[in-house]
Each structure stands twice: as structure tokens, then as C-alpha cells.
Amino acid sequence: MPSVLIAGASRGIGLELARQYAAEGCRVIGTCRDAGAESRLRVMGVEPRQLDVSNAGQFEALAASLAATAIDVFIHSAGVYGGDNNSLVAPDEQDFEEVMRVNVLAPMRSMAVIGPLVARASGRLVYLSSSMGSIAQMSGSHGMRDTSGWLYRASKAALNAALKCASGELGAKGVICLTMHPGWVRTDMGGPSAPLDVVTSASGLRQVIARATGKDNGRFLDYTGAPIPW
Ligand SMILES: NC(=O)c1ccc[n+]([C@@H]2O[C@H](COP(=O)([O-])OP(=O)(O)OC[C@H]3O[C@@H](n4cnc5c(N)ncnc54)[C@H](OP(=O)(O)O)[C@@H]3O)[C@@H](O)[C@H]2O)c1
């Protein structure tokens, strides 16, 4: 039975991915931060684990508890948008630190400590990034001003760079590393006006992940499999 680990499975896209993989018959381990989310995951047949992705010690403890497990698919979904940063005003330090800690430092930690567990299964290591992190598309993308969400955009561009760096070493060990845009999805982060429902996004992501081969290692793809320019 394939093993799937999802960081940030309490709600949104991570929760739906956990539900779909469990329904497919996988062993699914989903991380969350509160008791309510633990119960939601258990009901779906998902094994909950406590993880605040900002906490290095908790990450290492999670990896140690899985030391004997080969992870076929790891998906890092946990992410934050940060406060309103829609004009050319520098983000405040607290906001900057939280967005960078959750969206960049935490993924770098999971690349380092979960990557080896995925290598054992020659599996897939996947990060939910965003097309908003595409530097090539930053000029007027989404019909917005270039500075709209610029802290979030910078964090996802940095996540993409980290993934590209890690894909060399992990790819040599048989891991397929992907950074992915899930679409603009109706979740707490995406908001009610987003065109895509979470079931379609998660189902598309799963299909692209399942189809990925070694040639896709280090690529930036959307939930339909279309490449996104860096
Ligand atoms: N929705 C979209 O349109 C969209 C578009 C492009 C990219 N994305 C990316 O897709 C991913 C999932 O987005 P979403 O829409 O599902 O977001 P969401 O509904 O806002 O859920 C965010 C998830 O991240 C977790 N999280 C945040 N900070 C955490 C921390 N310090 N430790 C552990 N977990 C933490 C949350 O856990 P708690 O419940 O514990 O807070 C929750 O599970 C994100 O990386 C996002 O940037 C989303």
C-alpha cells in the first residue's frame, strides 16, 4: 500500500488531498496543529500527526517517527498569504518573518528531513507553490498590479528556487521533485470568488503527480500538468 505524507492537512487543498488519497486506498499520514483537525482526519481514515511547520524540532521528531517508513508521495501544502501587501510599502517585519518562515524555511526543512524518506521509495516530493511566484508572469499577472501580494509572490519564488536546488541532489537518489500551482481554488486562502473547487484541484494534482517521471524532476507544473515559466 503506497504511503502518502501531507504537511498541512487540516483544511483546504491539503485536507482534500488527504481525503482523496485515503479513499484511493493509500496509507495517509496528515499533519495538523489542533485537535479538531485530528478528529476530521481520523474520520477519513488518515493518521494525524501534530506539526507546526515553523517548529524545527517538531519536523525532526516527525521524520524520526517515520524513520522506518518509505514515503511514496510527500506533499507540502502548508502555506500562508500574509497580511495585505498590495502596494509599494515594505511588509512589516513580523509579517515578513511569518510568511518566509512558513512558505520558505519550512519547505527547506522538509526537503532536508523528509527528502531522504521519499528517496527510500524513489517517490515524489511535491510543494504547493503558486503561479504568483512565477517571476516570468509577474508583469500584470492575474490582472493585478505588480506589487499585489508581493511578499507572498517573493516567498513562492524563493520556494521554487529552493526546490530547484534540492532537485539535483534528490533527483540523483531517484526522487521526483515538483513545485506545483494548484489553480486558484475556493479555500480559506483562495476565497469564495476563486473559479476552481478543491475536489477538482486535488484530483488534478494527484493525476499529475502519479504521471510524473524522472524527466519531470525539478519542474514547475500546474494542476493540469501544464508547465509554468519560472
Ligand atoms: N487556494 C488557492 O487559490 C491557492 C493558489 C495557489 C497556491 N496555493 C497554495 O496551496 C497551499 C494550500 O493552500 P490552501 O488554499 O489550502 O490554504 P488554506 O485553506 O488557507 O490552508 C492553509 C493550510 O496551511 C496550514 N498552515 C499554515 N501555517 C502553518 C504552520 N505554521 N504549521 C502547520 N500548518 C500550517 C494550515 O493549517 P492550520 O489549519 O493549522 O492553520 C492549513 O492546513 C498553500 O501553500 C498555498 O500557498 C493556494
Side-chain angles (χ1 to χ4, degrees):
M1 182 194 293
S3 294
V4 178
L5 172 62
I6 298 174
S10 60
R11 56 195 165 93
I13 302 165
L15 176 67
E16 178 59 18
L17 283 164
R19 188 190 69 75
Q20 291 188 14
Y21 277 115
E24 191 184 82
C26 297
R27 177 191 178 197
V28 185
I29 302 153
T31 79
C32 60
R33 294 191 284 186
D34 60 74
E38 273 196 25
S39 324
R40 278 198 297 284
L41 290 169
R42 272 209 191 86
V43 167
M44 298 182 330
V46 175
E47 297 171 36
R49 299 285 174 90
Q50 283 289 322
L51 175 69
D52 180 331
V53 298
S54 300
N55 186 315
Q58 286 186 16
F59 242 125
E60 273 153 29
L62 173 70
S65 75
L66 296 170
T69 309
I71 304 289
D72 296 278
V73 177
F74 170 70
I75 303 176
H76 194 124
S77 182
V80 290
Y81 190 81
D84 282 337
N85 41 85
N86 289 325
S87 55
L88 196 57
V89 174
D92 72 53
E93 281 185 32
Q94 205 181 329
D95 202 22
F96 179 86
E97 278 166 19
E98 201 213 342
V99 171
M100 289 298 181
R101 197 179 306 116
V102 174
N103 291 1
V104 188
L105 178 56
M108 291 172 90
R109 281 192 182 122
S110 66
M111 288 169 206
V113 303
I114 308 294
L117 306 180
V118 177
R120 206 177 287 152
S122 298
R124 287 136 167 84
L125 191 78
V126 180
Y127 289 81
L128 294 195
S129 177
S130 170
S131 60
M132 288 180 75
S134 163
I135 293 173
Q137 292 185 354
M138 274 178 198
S139 201
S141 70
H142 302 286
M144 295 173 176
R145 290 190 311 274
D146 290 349
T147 46
S148 66
W150 69 327
L151 173 56
Y152 179 76
R153 288 169 181 271
S155 74
K156 293 297 191 182
L159 160 62
N160 289 349
L163 185 280
K164 192 73 184 172
C165 292
S167 69
E169 190 169 323
L170 290 169
K173 295 176 179 164
V175 178
I176 300 168
C177 301
L178 299 173
T179 180
M180 297 190 72
H181 172 57
W184 181 17
V185 190
R186 285 191 297 281
T187 61
D188 292 339
M189 186 187 291
S193 312
L196 202 61
D197 65 83
V198 76
V199 175
T200 307
S201 169
S203 156
L205 290 165
R206 286 194 312 114
Q207 287 174 43
V208 176
I209 292 165
R211 284 200 306 262
T213 69
K215 286 187 193 147
D216 295 311
N217 182 42
R219 294 186 80 198
F220 184 16
L221 304 174
D222 78 4
Y223 74 102
T224 69
I228 301 178
W230 298 107

